[in-house]
Amino acid sequence: MSNFTMVIHGGAGTILKEDMTPALEQAYSNALKTSLDAGYAVLENGGTAVNAIKASIVLLEDNVLFNAGRGSVFTKKGVQEMDAAIMDGSNLSAGAVTGVRNVRNPIELATEVMRNSNHVFLSGKGANDFAIKQGIKLEPDEYFYSAFRYDQWKAIRDSDTYSLDHTNHHLEELMKDKKFGTVGAVACDANGNIAAATSTGGMTNKKYGRIGDSPVIGCGTYANNKTCAISCTGHGEIFIRSVAAYDVSCLMEYKGMSLQEAMEKVVNEKLVSLQGEGGMIGVDSNGNYAMVLNSAGMYRAVRTDKGFEQVLIYK
Ligand code: ASP
């Protein structure tokens, strides 16, 4: 029997207390707590880390507050294209999808890719065809629509700007009260197996089929029982160039760093040196966890079998 731990995030960015209303803060905290508890319940009942993170992510994808599944951001063309990835640290199996449309829960599709395709990473139309073949639930465009994300996109659609869901460096003012994000989960189960998953609509106004770090194994999502399970959120281009999630694993494997040390090195030194705004959550196979961010805030929550529980928003 190992210690078990559940950790989730709901995106990072310029999330400031002064921009929040108590009601919105409460809505986020409640959503995080519900998702956290769903994943934790799987672990408590002896379920696997993979099933726990999936249970948590599905709820966040279904919640319009977050930039994943329902409530995803709009692309330059005014549609929603979603990315997701999942990785099982016990056997290094992984599944990922990018640019999928109308898939209610992209994390379900990524899991299907991991379990029932001979591939790891499917894109666009092909990924959608696979979803239909596997009986994955689809929804019409309206299901994914949210007024605030539409306004967020309208404000920048005529420019070349694209923005991290919680931050817009050019239109900070306009974006001020629009703080919503990518979702992720990592878990260590009672057998000491760990897993990571991330799901996102990407960045507002993205174009040319842009893919962020979230579905790229080793960049936004990575898990290996030997080291860690990591889910990232932030400016995807920099996380890709930094191979951020796998870098944490490497620092642990080759340098003998602890999870916390390795995550701090990557988030607060390496990413900062490239102006890569964001953060990440992680667990190791002893049930240790860390949540590290270099942005003003990151929606995040943790619950351990030792009775420790925390839901946090600001740095
Ligand atoms: N990392 C995501 C991306 O670049 C965005 C986010 O984390 O909010 O697509």
Side-chain angles (χ1 to χ4, degrees):
M1 246 324 241
S2 167
N3 300 323
F4 54 91
T5 304
M6 186 75 221
V7 193
I8 60 168
H9 73 74
T14 313
I15 307 164
L16 299 169
K17 190 156 179 79
E18 54 266 35
D19 297 336
M20 276 281 193
T21 62
L24 197 55
E25 207 175 271
Q26 195 59 50
Y28 273 109
S29 298
N30 292 347
L32 288 169
K33 170 101 177 84
T34 305
S35 157
L36 182 73
D37 288 348
Y40 187 84
V42 173
L43 298 177
E44 202 172 27
N45 292 321
T48 63
V50 165
N51 286 337
I53 56 178
K54 206 153 69 74
S56 283
I57 296 230
V58 161
L59 290 180
L60 296 170
E61 286 178 337
D62 288 349
N63 192 318
V64 78
L65 287 176
F66 301 96
N67 171 22
R70 183 168 167 246
S72 285
V73 298
F74 288 84
T75 66
K76 180 83 178 167
K77 289 192 170 152
V79 297
Q80 283 134 324
E81 295 175 349
M82 299 167 286
D83 304 334
I86 188 161
M87 185 160 184
D88 182 347
S90 70
N91 57 12
L92 304 187
S93 64
V97 292
T98 183
V100 296
R101 296 191 54 193
N102 303 101
V103 172
R104 182 185 173 107
N105 293 109
I107 202 63
E108 299 274 13
L109 182 56
T111 308
E112 202 60 27
V113 172
M114 175 170 79
R115 289 179 174 158
N116 294 315
S117 78
N118 294 317
H119 306 296
V120 168
F121 201 0
L122 302 184
S123 72
K125 167 102 172 61
N128 272 87
D129 290 347
F130 182 67
I132 292 165
K133 178 169 168 283
Q134 299 303 111
I136 295 284
K137 195 156 192 209
L138 302 181
E139 297 286 354
D141 289 348
E142 306 80 76
Y143 169 83
F144 298 89
Y145 175 89
S146 60
F148 47 81
R149 290 249 153 64
Y150 189 76
D151 293 344
Q152 193 178 20
W153 168 67
K154 254 189 5 202
I156 62 170
R157 70 178 165 188
D158 296 327
S159 71
D160 272 337
T161 304
Y162 64 95
S163 80
L164 186 58
D165 193 38
H166 300 303
T167 307
N168 185 302
H169 298 285
H170 307 268
L171 292 167
E172 208 93 61
E173 270 315 296
L174 271 171
M175 296 298 149
K176 222 166 84 173
D177 52 348
K178 309 284 195 291
K179 322 286 186 195
F180 322 98
T182 290
V183 306
V186 296
C188 173
D189 65 30
N191 290 316
N193 290 319
I194 60 177
T198 313
S199 180
T200 187
M203 293 175 85
T204 298
N205 217 30
K206 64 184 183 180
K207 56 184 178 179
Y208 308 131
R210 179 262 185 194
I211 305 169
D213 61 311
S214 310
V216 182
I217 297 301
C219 296
T221 308
Y222 187 72
N224 182 343
N225 273 8
K226 258 169 56 179
T227 53
C228 57
I230 301 287
S231 170
C232 302
T233 174
H235 192 159
E237 279 68 9
I238 316 294
F239 282 70
I240 292 176
R241 288 163 56 203
S242 306
V243 198
Y246 185 61
D247 199 18
V248 173
S249 175
C250 287
L251 289 168
M252 293 175 72
E253 184 169 3
Y254 305 125
K255 281 231 169 193
M257 285 189 184
S258 69
L259 177 70
Q260 182 79 38
E261 285 167 348
M263 282 171 60
E264 279 177 13
K265 175 105 192 147
V266 171
V267 174
N268 292 329
E269 294 179 35
K270 295 186 163 200
L271 285 167
V272 165
S273 70
L274 294 172
Q275 282 149 19
E277 181 184 4
M280 56 173 75
I281 55 172
V283 290
D284 66 21
S285 57
N286 292 317
N288 296 311
Y289 75 92
M291 308 188 283
V292 180
L293 55 149
N294 65 34
S295 49
M298 176 167 83
Y299 298 104
R300 59 203 187 277
V302 56
R303 185 168 169 193
T304 75
D305 64 343
K306 302 280 171 295
F308 178 75
E309 201 177 318
Q310 209 172 32
V311 178
L312 296 168
I313 298 180
Y314 314 104
K315 195 164 178 157

